[in-house]
Amino acid sequence: MRSKTSKVALCGVIAALSVVVLFLTGVVPVATIALPAVAGCFLIAVVAETDVRSGVAVYAIVSVLAALLVPDREATLFYIVFFGYYPALYGTLSRIRNSVARWAAKLLVFNAAAVLEALLAVWLLGIPLAEMLPFGWPFIPVLLLLMNAVFILYDLALNGLIVFYIRRLHPFVRKYLK
């Protein structure tokens, strides 16, 4: 980026767009998980065009605004606990050369976020634990296994989205922001 003004403008537009997408969870309640994931993907542009530090700043701003404005509290929690920062963290985790260690680190981050989200949903949002475990406690390992499989698909899709952004959109955005 050539100027601080362009950097701030891009960050502001991405933050506003992310909040609008999160706000849509109040209109489309079945998208409680999907729309926070989409809102987090907008950070790809911030990190690619500026730096990780700006991406973290946009994440923090969106998190505060979402907590104040978004009607779906669980969607906000999903964004804050995982989907908001993971696209910015993705590049750092991808620098781990050993693929087993890289995937272990990614899965550790995801599983810690999933457990934290479940605990916060019960304690902060008052969601009954029985509602989160419709098949009982023995189903927890199966649920975690399924969640990890979905996370791996999300991670691979995020990688494809980053490659698409860098190859196709980055040159256009870079030229537009000069």
Side-chain angles (χ1 to χ4, degrees):
M1 285 219 136
R2 300 249 177 198
S3 70
K4 283 188 176 185
T5 306
S6 297
K7 180 179 173 180
V8 171
L10 177 68
C11 291
V13 168
I14 295 297
L17 189 57
S18 296
V19 171
V20 167
V21 168
L22 286 170
F23 193 77
L24 289 175
T25 58
V27 178
V28 185
V30 295
T32 299
I33 297 174
L35 288 177
V38 170
C41 288
F42 293 132
L43 278 184
I44 294 169
V46 174
V47 173
E49 301 302 333
T50 60
D51 53 16
V52 174
R53 193 173 183 196
S54 297
V56 172
V58 169
Y59 157 72
I61 290 166
V62 172
S63 296
V64 170
L65 289 173
L68 295 172
L69 300 173
V70 173
D72 188 340
R73 296 292 176 210
E74 193 170 13
T76 300
L77 193 57
F78 281 127
Y79 180 84
I80 292 170
V81 173
F82 182 70
F83 290 116
Y85 67 83
Y86 187 73
L89 182 63
Y90 181 88
T92 304
L93 293 174
S94 294
R95 290 187 193 124
I96 300 173
R97 292 186 189 263
N98 184 331
S99 64
V100 173
R102 180 175 53 249
W103 277 105
K106 288 179 177 185
L107 288 168
L108 180 68
V109 167
F110 171 73
N111 284 295
V115 169
L116 180 63
E117 193 281 329
L119 293 173
L120 290 175
V122 170
W123 291 334
L124 288 179
L125 303 180
I127 296 174
L129 191 58
E131 190 175 303
M132 295 178 82
L133 298 171
F135 302 109
W137 290 98
F139 189 67
I140 289 177
V142 174
L143 182 62
L144 282 173
L145 186 64
L146 292 172
M147 287 172 41
N148 279 286
V150 170
F151 165 72
I152 290 170
L153 292 174
Y154 168 74
D155 189 82
L156 294 172
L158 187 63
N159 182 56
L161 190 58
I162 291 169
V163 169
F164 173 77
Y165 182 86
I166 296 298
R167 288 186 182 164
R168 302 289 177 137
L169 299 177
H170 179 67
F172 172 74
V173 173
R174 183 64 84 165
K175 184 169 53 170
Y176 183 72
L177 291 175
K178 284 186 180 179

